[in-house]
Amino acid sequence: MPAITRIDQIPPSHTVFPASSHPDLQQPGAVHHGWNTGRQLLLHAADSPLAKPITGQERPLRQQAITYLRRLSPHLDEVAGPLALALHISAVQQPPAAADTTSLIPLIREALADLGDWGIRAPLPEHIDLITRAVHALQPCMPD
């Protein structure tokens, strides 16, 4: 597995969560949908050519998330690892909307365990707040 060092290297859900990895993932569901939605938001925020057009009723909410994600860093590719952790937390663990940094620490550890094979390493202390803010940006766009 190649290391995720840029936003456009974050793979689609079926690559990260193959059906063989867990019985709950054999059929596409909320985790797959959430991962792919969040991935698209990150791709848009990074102005990646891999980003697909945004359509549907959620367009204003998604546009708001993209705008917020762009404000996190002038160079999103430099924080691709922490953003991949935020994506995992939002799509897989789905914390409550009011989750603060302290409550996300155990979820970051879980995300690291799942994404370690993708070259994602423990975030620097200054990235913990970025992860929290990215989770807050992505969370409203996750499926129920």
Side-chain angles (χ1 to χ4, degrees):
M1 291 175 224
I4 297 171
T5 58
R6 292 188 339 257
I7 299 297
D8 60 8
Q9 292 174 325
I10 297 174
S13 65
H14 68 274
T15 304
V16 177
F17 309 108
S20 60
S21 68
H22 194 277
D24 291 344
L25 298 176
Q26 290 180 358
Q27 295 295 322
V31 168
H32 288 280
H33 180 66
W35 180 274
N36 290 330
T37 298
R39 177 178 174 263
Q40 282 298 314
L41 293 172
L42 290 170
L43 289 169
H44 276 280
D47 293 321
S48 170
L50 299 177
K52 297 177 183 175
I54 298 174
T55 59
Q57 294 176 349
E58 289 104 16
R59 183 182 170 114
L61 189 60
R62 291 181 182 183
Q63 285 296 113
Q64 183 179 3
I66 292 165
T67 299
Y68 190 81
L69 290 166
R70 285 181 176 151
R71 291 182 189 151
L72 293 176
S73 172
H75 306 285
L76 290 176
D77 282 333
E78 292 177 5
V79 290
L83 290 174
L85 293 171
L87 173 57
H88 187 283
I89 291 165
S90 297
V92 177
Q93 296 146 322
Q94 302 174 353
D100 63 0
T101 301
T102 303
S103 65
L104 292 181
I105 297 294
L107 302 181
I108 292 171
R109 288 187 191 115
E110 285 182 42
L112 280 168
D114 283 352
L115 298 176
D117 290 345
W118 293 93
I120 304 296
R121 301 292 172 241
L124 298 171
E126 60 266 24
H127 289 154
I128 301 297
D129 183 57
L130 179 133
I131 292 169
T132 302
R133 291 184 290 139
V135 168
H136 290 166
L138 293 169
Q139 201 64 33
C141 298
M142 292 294 118
D144 294 331

